[in-house]
Amino acid sequence: MRAKKLSAKKILQVIQNTLEDSKAKDIVLLDVSKISDFTDCMVVASGTSNRHVTSTADRVVDKLRELGLRQIGMEGQKTGDWVLVDFGDVVVHVMREQIRDFYNLEKLWSDAKGLEIKKPLEIKKPKAPRKKAKSAKNKAAVSKKTG
């Protein structure tokens, strides 16, 4: 399958939605394009356990792969304390809360601009038309036939 070109905003939106669906905590999006030469955006999120961290990072990779975007690199999935996934324009860090507190990436990248990605409006499918209720007369006729 040929990779599709996704905008950084769309990539961030997919990552944020996937992290939220995976119950990641304290999701922070940072624009580091003005202060970094290796990526434009960073996403930092917390997981509640080693297994939660690795499965959350795996879900992000899987979701973006479905859209034709593969990661450049992935590190830390064996221990699950801190998994880093590099998508080029966006780097995702999923960490256990204690590890995140210790390394404090948000402070390290405090010159970065925080980003807020708004979810697109979900279009709800129209409800199927309701079947007409049977009238009392029809109900009585049905009960006579079955009774």
Side-chain angles (χ1 to χ4, degrees):
M1 176 169 72
R2 193 170 169 218
K4 301 173 189 172
K5 180 64 179 162
L6 298 173
S7 69
K9 183 177 179 180
K10 176 68 175 169
I11 294 169
L12 286 171
Q13 202 168 44
V14 170
I15 291 170
Q16 182 177 3
N17 291 345
T18 305
L19 290 171
E20 288 172 356
D21 291 346
S22 299
K23 307 292 188 233
K25 296 181 175 184
D26 304 320
I27 302 165
V28 175
L29 307 167
L30 300 171
D31 178 356
V32 295
S33 60
K34 304 259 192 283
I35 56 175
S36 168
D37 58 355
F38 66 90
T39 192
D40 291 335
C41 301
M42 275 194 209
V43 180
V44 183
S46 296
T48 56
S49 67
N50 297 51
R51 183 169 289 189
H52 186 221
V53 167
T54 55
S55 66
T56 299
D58 287 341
R59 285 191 70 194
V60 170
V61 169
D62 292 343
K63 193 64 173 176
L64 285 173
R65 186 177 295 142
E66 287 173 16
L67 298 174
L69 182 65
R70 294 192 178 271
Q71 81 270 16
I72 294 170
M74 187 170 178
E75 298 179 22
Q77 61 271 44
K78 286 185 182 176
T79 61
D81 286 331
W82 176 356
V83 178
L84 180 147
V85 187
D86 184 355
F87 290 103
D89 292 340
V90 180
V91 174
V92 180
H93 300 270
V94 185
M95 315 162 94
R96 282 191 315 107
E97 292 177 31
Q98 298 86 345
I99 301 298
R100 185 172 177 175
D101 290 342
F102 181 78
Y103 287 101
N104 202 356
L105 291 182
E106 290 93 326
K107 184 176 181 187
L108 181 66
W109 293 96
S110 61
D111 291 341
K113 179 182 168 190
L115 295 172
E116 198 172 311
I117 303 294
K118 295 180 180 172
K119 290 186 178 185
L121 293 175
E122 292 183 24
I123 300 171
K124 295 182 180 180
K125 293 180 182 176
K127 292 182 180 180
R130 299 175 92 192
K131 292 182 180 178
K132 291 184 179 180
K134 294 182 180 179
S135 67
K137 187 177 180 180
N138 288 344
K139 287 181 186 177
V142 170
S143 64
K144 282 183 182 179
K145 289 180 185 176
T146 59

